[in-house]
Amino acid sequence: MSDSVLPRLEICLSPALLHLFDTRDTIVVIIDVFRATSTIAAALHNGAKSVIPVASVPECIEIGKRTENSITAGERDGKIAEGLQHGNSPLEYPSTFVEGKTLVLTTTNGTRLLHMVEDAAEIITGSFLNLSAVCDFLIAQKKNVLLGCAAWKDRFNLEDTLFAGAVATKVADHFATNCDSVRAAKYLHESAVAKGNYIDFLRDSSHYKRLSAYGLEHDMEYCTTPDQHPVVPILKGDKLVIHQ
């Protein structure tokens, strides 16, 4: 199939660049590898009823108060935000804890980007933990795709771009990708694969160093392990649920 009839795939490297992209009739994939979209995949795969992504801590607390059987969770600058019950680690939400509950989640970067997107055909979340499931979903939908990197406070980061490069590489035959951010992300992914594994490639990244200061190395190793939670979280109304 020629590029002229293939759906388009682009990568937005930072929320600050989102206004440059047309998201109409487009599937937008929110990417926050360290750690929001990893936590979302883990919680839903482990039986959470839904995840409600919110932009602010006060909103998270308020929604938690009026939502039955809920958990309020999230972080600011890598630490559990004051007033919330739990943090932003996928390892905090095993099935024994999260099954049947609603996770109300706010994070520094990922949930903020999700609320910035308007007029998309669908919004899903992606991480290495659900890499193949996300790729299979995108191929099946046959629609334009924007991979949206949450970045770090609008600054480019390696881990989200690396995941976007992994997706772009896996779905390359099914999309037209005349976009230099896609090329750059794929080159980055090639470099990581050549190094041996994703986490070794990311150990010198700013976010790895930032979160390591809080003892979260094991979290990050887990977040870069592909296909541990093969679900596609999709936004329905104000809630993320598993795509059926």
Side-chain angles (χ1 to χ4, degrees), residues 118-243:
E118 299 178 353
D119 300 324
E122 301 284 2
I123 297 175
I124 68 171
T125 65
S127 67
F128 287 107
L129 295 179
N130 64 337
L131 171 61
S132 294
V134 165
C135 291
D136 291 345
F137 174 85
L138 297 178
I139 292 169
Q141 299 308 303
K142 297 182 171 62
K143 289 187 176 182
N144 294 334
V145 170
L146 178 64
L147 304 177
C149 300
W152 173 257
K153 298 183 178 180
D154 285 342
R155 298 184 181 187
F156 170 89
N157 72 14
L158 282 179
E159 67 274 8
D160 294 346
T161 307
L162 179 60
F163 173 77
V167 172
T169 299
K170 286 175 72 71
V171 305
D173 292 342
H174 302 272
F175 292 88
T177 56
N178 187 22
C179 170
D180 282 352
S181 58
V182 174
R183 292 184 178 93
K186 290 171 74 174
Y187 294 150
L188 193 70
H189 183 254
E190 288 174 11
S191 297
V193 170
K195 193 170 182 68
N197 60 59
Y198 296 132
I199 194 62
D200 284 347
F201 184 80
L202 291 170
R203 289 188 201 279
D204 193 44
S205 68
S206 62
H207 209 166
Y208 184 92
K209 293 178 182 298
R210 189 178 299 113
L211 294 177
S212 292
Y214 304 123
L216 296 171
E217 293 90 346
H218 186 50
D219 253 28
M220 291 183 284
E221 290 175 14
Y222 189 78
C223 288
T224 51
T225 306
D227 300 329
Q228 299 300 296
H229 298 291
V231 296
V232 177
I234 188 166
L235 190 66
K236 296 296 183 184
D238 64 348
K239 297 179 176 65
L240 288 157
V241 296
I242 295 176
H243 176 263

Side-chain angles (χ1 to χ4, degrees), residues 103-132:
L103 180 64
V104 188
L105 180 69
T106 182
T107 67
T108 304
N109 304 293
T111 55
R112 169 177 166 263
L113 174 59
L114 190 150
H115 285 281
M116 291 173 63
V117 175
E118 299 178 353
D119 300 324
E122 301 284 2
I123 297 175
I124 68 171
T125 65
S127 67
F128 287 107
L129 295 179
N130 64 337
L131 171 61
S132 294

